[in-house]
Amino acid sequence: MKHIILGPPGTGKTRTLLQLAVEYNKKGVSFNKIGYFSFTRKATEESISRAQSDFDLDKDEIPFFRTLHSLAMKQLSLPNLKLITKSNYKDFGKTVGMPLDSVNLRDENGIVFSSDKEFLSHVDISRAKKISLKEQWAYNAKDMPWNKLDWLNRNYNKFKKVNSLYDYTDMLVEFNEKGQAPKLDCLFIDEAQDLSKLQWETVNKLSKEAKEVYIAGDDDQAIFRWAGADIEHFINMKGKTRVLKQSYRIPRSIHPFCVKLSKRIRDRRDKEYIPRDYEGVLKFHNAFNIDVSNGDWLILTTTNYLLDKVEDNLMEQGIFFKRKDRLSIKTPTIKAIYDWEDLRKGKKIKKDAIEKIYGLMKKGGVKHGFKNLESLSNKEQINIYTLRKKHGLLRKDEWYKALDKIPLIERVYIRATLRRGAKLSKPKVKLSTIHGVKGAQEKNVVLFTDLSREADKQYFINPDDQTRVMYVGATRAKEALHIITPQTTRGFPL
């Protein structure tokens, strides 16, 4: 039997699925017969973590809690060593005379990106959509001549074959054609609104062997059409439907705005949910003049180039922040600063930490011939007094004077963040594009409504997709939502 669970933002969709899995287990269904699959590795790891913490399950007890790609790899017994890597892409780039040094393997959803060239993403997206490469090229790859894209694709396939390599998309194609689906009593699919045609083909194959099938998602949060997501498949799916009614995230004051946004989406499953019992704050601003120095903040834009401007603004203000996995101050620099100040307080540190400190000092910081610290053992801990007496250290002043190889502008910025009381081990402000923040939430959210030229153009062709993006951004807020009205002529109409 097929069940469809619609989970609006903050309604605990993943937890609901896990509770159902545990209930089936209590009724006698072994976890070896329960499959739980999600769109990305991150989402799957979250479900495994929740299963372990909330239901006291060991990872070995739930062998079919995986991504679809991981399942394909397991069922096909594909060797992990033959999975294509960044190094392989770099080698391929050399064979075709196209640098591919910055390939980004985007999780396990099968889409590959390169900051050098985008042909790889077009190849994978066409396969995810199950359309020809020429159709994908006609839709969104006209920056590259068709003959060149076709030539690159043929050489890419040849490169994989000669080197016995496979990529994430190859896994699913091979599994759908030749793989043996596990015989599961219960099948759970999370984040279903993001699945591509190729992934739906995999789900359908698994469903044929399962007794109970639960498909969960929220079409209002489907923002990966550009990466091949088949949103309409989820919207039009038939089955016994249940809507999760209670949001545990969205406050009363923000809820009407979010609902109004969702109702602007023309092609959707109708659903209603209620806010949590907290008033919250909804404010509109004509400019980014919000004090984000206190509290936890998530700042969202539609594109990376808009986020670049926000980053510059925060640097000028002396706000410590995190963008994706990158801190605004390099982690080794932070450690060297704290280690130096520990030394000044009389504490002892190890050789590797001292080497990092010495490396951030110009001439005049350490006597000539002492920087290599050859006489120190790796395990030995040492204080500043011994360093000055036996190991050539000449400085003892504050970090921003002693560590003078750190560029001046960076030292000024770091001092400003520290004056604001920032803990450099834990950023309170996070920056992200809306696409990069899927599933996250924060107490305070700043949402920019400016659009890129292409997004603005697409809005007037198909407003649903961009409305979904804004809806996802707005529904990340747990306490306060600050909306920045468009700063240019290209903006989402509020």
Side-chain angles (χ1 to χ4, degrees):
M1 183 176 180
K2 184 174 290 182
H3 307 262
I4 299 168
I5 296 181
L6 302 178
T11 53
K13 173 172 52 61
T14 298
R15 182 172 176 79
T16 298
L17 293 185
L18 292 173
Q19 286 175 329
L20 285 167
V22 170
E23 286 172 15
Y24 275 107
N25 177 253
K26 288 179 179 178
K27 293 175 183 177
V29 180
S30 168
F31 277 113
N32 286 320
K33 292 289 186 178
I34 297 176
Y36 187 109
F37 305 97
S38 193
F39 177 57
T40 62
R41 181 191 299 146
K42 180 180 177 182
T44 303
E45 286 175 349
E46 180 187 347
S47 68
I48 292 172
S49 177
R50 287 190 183 187
Q52 290 175 311
S53 61
D54 295 353
F55 304 108
D56 196 27
L57 295 173
D58 190 89
K59 191 173 182 178
D60 294 336
E61 295 180 81
I62 45 178
F64 291 109
F65 277 50
R66 295 174 173 269
T67 63
L68 292 173
H69 296 87
S70 174
L71 172 74
M73 187 176 182
K74 171 182 169 64
Q75 296 302 108
L76 293 167
S77 299
L78 294 173
N80 190 51
L81 291 175
K82 290 299 181 180
L83 178 60
I84 198 164
T85 65
K86 290 184 180 181
S87 176
N88 296 137
Y89 282 119
K90 190 173 181 178
D91 291 340
F92 170 67
K94 290 177 181 177
T95 67
V96 294
M98 177 184 289
L100 291 174
D101 298 335
S102 304
V103 169
N104 172 28
L105 301 179
R106 186 182 178 85
D107 206 317
E108 280 189 359
N109 60 15
I111 308 302
V112 179
F113 295 90
S114 169
S115 61
D116 301 301
K117 302 291 178 185
E118 292 188 350
F119 90 90
L120 286 170
S121 62
H122 294 309
V123 169
D124 281 323
I125 289 172
S126 69
R127 299 175 75 193
K129 291 179 177 178
K130 292 185 72 66
I131 61 175
S132 70
L133 182 57
K134 194 160 190 177
E135 286 179 89
Q136 171 64 22
W137 170 81
Y139 174 70
N140 199 29
K142 292 182 180 177
D143 55 325
M144 178 180 288
W146 162 247
N147 289 341
K148 184 174 183 180
L149 181 59
D150 181 49
W151 177 81
L152 286 167
N153 181 46
R154 284 187 279 109
N155 276 275
Y156 177 54
N157 289 329
K158 181 180 178 181
F159 175 82
K160 288 191 293 181
K161 186 175 181 179
V162 168
N163 293 283
S164 300
L165 296 169
Y166 57 88
D167 57 30
Y168 287 125
T169 307
D170 293 328
M171 291 183 197
L172 291 189
V173 171
E174 186 82 3
F175 175 76
N176 291 344
E177 292 177 355
K178 304 175 184 178
Q180 179 66 48
K183 295 185 182 300
L184 302 170
D185 287 347
C186 300
L187 172 65
F188 296 92
I189 305 295
D190 202 356
E191 302 295 341
Q193 76 279 349
D194 294 327
L195 299 181
S196 67
K197 282 188 186 305
L198 181 63
Q199 290 167 323
W200 277 118
E201 192 174 287
T202 306
V203 170
N204 291 337
K205 182 166 184 168
L206 295 172
S207 299
K208 290 176 183 177
E209 300 291 337
K211 297 176 182 177
E212 297 286 342
V213 178
Y214 289 83
I215 309 290
D218 181 10
D219 51 291
D220 293 337
Q221 299 184 70
I223 60 175
F224 289 102
R225 187 192 297 277
W226 57 272
D230 186 0
I231 302 166
E232 285 70 32
H233 187 106
F234 180 70
I235 292 173
N236 298 323
M237 183 173 286
K238 305 296 182 184
K240 186 178 180 180
T241 303
R242 171 188 173 190
V243 179
L244 303 180
K245 297 283 189 179
Q246 176 68 62
S247 177
Y248 301 98
R249 178 195 304 160
I250 301 175
R252 288 190 298 267
S253 62
I254 300 173
H255 181 257
F257 175 77
C258 294
V259 170
K260 186 178 178 181
L261 264 182
S262 67
K263 289 187 180 299
R264 285 168 58 177
I265 302 170
R266 297 170 298 183
D267 188 13
R268 67 188 290 264
R269 283 180 173 270
D270 192 35
K271 61 191 81 69
E272 292 184 3
Y273 63 99
I274 60 176
R276 72 185 180 102
D277 188 20
Y278 179 81
E279 185 58 28
V281 174
L282 173 64
K283 287 186 177 181
F284 292 82
H285 305 262
N286 293 324
F288 181 43
N289 51 10
I290 304 163
D291 182 7
V292 297
S293 58
N294 294 307
D296 299 298
W297 293 83
L298 177 61
I299 302 177
L300 300 173
T301 66
T302 56
T303 64
N304 275 306
Y305 89 82
L306 292 170
L307 211 57
D308 291 341
K309 295 181 180 180
V310 176
E311 183 171 327
D312 291 342
N313 184 296
L314 295 179
M315 294 285 285
E316 290 174 4
Q317 293 184 54
I319 302 292
F320 181 52
F321 61 88
K322 184 177 184 179
R323 180 173 174 177
K324 291 187 179 178
D325 296 324
R326 176 178 62 83
L327 297 174
S328 58
I329 306 168
K330 295 175 183 176
T331 301
T333 301
I334 293 172
K335 186 176 186 309
I337 289 170
Y338 281 133
D339 284 341
W340 175 252
E341 291 304 316
D342 281 345
L343 277 174
R344 294 180 68 238
K345 293 173 186 175
K347 295 182 180 179
K348 295 180 178 182
I349 64 174
K350 290 184 178 180
K351 178 182 178 179
D352 60 343
I354 298 167
E355 287 175 335
K356 297 288 193 309
I357 288 171
Y358 277 18
L360 290 175
M361 289 181 172
K362 292 181 179 178
K363 284 183 178 180
V366 183
K367 290 179 183 178
H368 180 71
F370 281 88
K371 278 202 171 187
N372 56 22
L373 296 168
E374 288 182 352
S375 60
L376 273 180
S377 71
N378 291 327
K379 294 183 178 180
E380 186 179 357
Q381 290 192 324
I382 196 166
N383 60 28
I384 194 170
Y385 308 107
T386 306
L387 286 172
R388 287 175 58 81
K389 186 176 180 180
K390 297 183 178 179
H391 300 284
L393 180 64
L394 298 173
R395 306 298 297 256
K396 60 179 180 179
D397 39 13
E398 296 91 338
W399 71 266
Y400 55 86
K401 294 177 183 176
L403 308 183
D404 48 4
K405 269 195 177 180
I406 301 173
L408 179 59
I409 191 170
E410 190 175 344
R411 279 180 278 156
V412 171
Y413 168 66
I414 296 170
R415 291 188 71 194
T417 67
L418 292 172
R419 280 196 296 269
R420 283 183 173 274
K423 292 183 178 180
L424 301 187
S425 58
K426 188 177 180 182
K428 306 284 280 183
V429 179
K430 299 178 181 67
L431 277 62
S432 178
T433 61
I434 297 170
H435 285 94
V437 81
K438 189 72 164 52
Q441 59 184 2
E442 194 48 86
K443 289 182 180 178
N444 305 288
V445 171
V446 178
L447 178 62
F448 281 78
T449 54
D450 288 275
L451 302 177
S452 67
R453 190 181 302 276
E454 182 61 27
D456 185 58
K457 176 184 173 183
Q458 290 299 321
Y459 176 80
F460 290 99
I461 297 172
N462 177 15
D464 280 7
D465 287 345
Q466 195 57 49
T467 303
R468 289 186 176 104
V469 171
M470 283 298 162
Y471 177 73
V472 167
T475 55
R476 301 307 94 195
K478 292 165 63 179
E479 294 183 4
L481 175 61
H482 297 268
I483 297 174
I484 312 298
T485 56
Q487 307 295 292
T488 66
T489 56
R490 296 188 301 272
F492 182 81
L494 297 168

